[in-house]
């Protein structure tokens, strides 16, 4: 398959993660509560499938129901933030485990899991 010059990626619209059926309230508690994201209303045809969508700033995360459910333990979104230390404290205050990792040059970062076991990476550039 040959590469094409017929399109130009502009930005990432959203990232979708899987969640178990019927756990929307748990998703809201974490994504809206602990992360301070705003829930986005899903179009009715998609809302019937379950799951929920969240947005904050330029980041949009979609949680879609997957049967059978299996969390993404390796694949993950890398979420660039300002205020990484404060975010880590907020997540720990909400009972989440934060695992710091110094192996990405030029950035401070940590990993955390959502309530369903999906891996999330949060990173912030180190000051010059």
């Amino acid at each position: 398959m040959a590469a094409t010059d017929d399109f130009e990626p502009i930005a990432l619209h959203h990232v979708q993660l899987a969640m178990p059926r019927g756990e929307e309230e748990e998703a809201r508690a974490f994504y809206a509560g602990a992360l301070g994201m705003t829930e986005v209303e899903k179009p009715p045809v998609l809302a019937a499938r379950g799951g929920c969508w969240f947005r904050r700033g330029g980041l949009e995360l979609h949680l879609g129901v997957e049967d059978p459910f299996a969390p993404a333990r390796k694949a993950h979104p890398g979420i660039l933030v300002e205020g990484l230390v404060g975010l880590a404290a907020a997540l720990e205050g909400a009972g989440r485990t934060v695992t710091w990792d110094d192996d990405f040059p030029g950035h401070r970062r940590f990993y955390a899991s959502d309530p369903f076991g999906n891996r999330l990476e949060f990173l912030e550039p180190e000051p010059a």
Side-chain angles (χ1 to χ4, degrees):
M1 178 181 226
T4 180
D5 291 330
D6 294 339
F7 81 102
E8 184 65 34
I10 299 169
L12 187 63
H13 183 274
H14 69 273
V15 171
Q16 179 156 317
L17 298 171
M19 64 175 282
R21 183 170 303 285
E23 296 293 328
E24 286 80 3
E25 288 307 314
E26 190 72 22
R28 290 179 182 106
F30 179 74
Y31 287 96
L35 293 182
M37 299 180 83
T38 300
E39 187 167 0
V40 176
E41 186 174 343
K42 292 177 66 173
V45 67
L46 298 177
R49 299 176 187 173
C52 33
W53 296 355
F54 300 93
R55 179 183 302 139
R56 182 168 178 174
L59 175 67
E60 191 162 317
L61 291 173
H62 294 181
L63 280 289
V65 171
E66 184 174 64
D67 290 320
F69 170 72
R73 297 187 194 278
K74 183 66 174 176
H76 62 274
I79 302 168
L80 193 62
V81 302
E82 292 179 350
L84 186 70
V85 172
L87 174 59
L91 288 173
E92 290 174 330
R96 309 307 311 169
T97 299
V98 168
T99 304
W100 290 92
D101 184 324
D102 297 328
D103 292 339
F104 193 155
H107 291 79
R108 296 193 65 208
R109 71 177 177 167
F110 67 81
Y111 294 97
S113 294
D114 74 3
F116 316 117
N118 292 309
R119 185 181 195 188
L120 304 171
E121 176 184 354
F122 297 95
L123 62 160
E124 181 175 44
E126 290 181 349

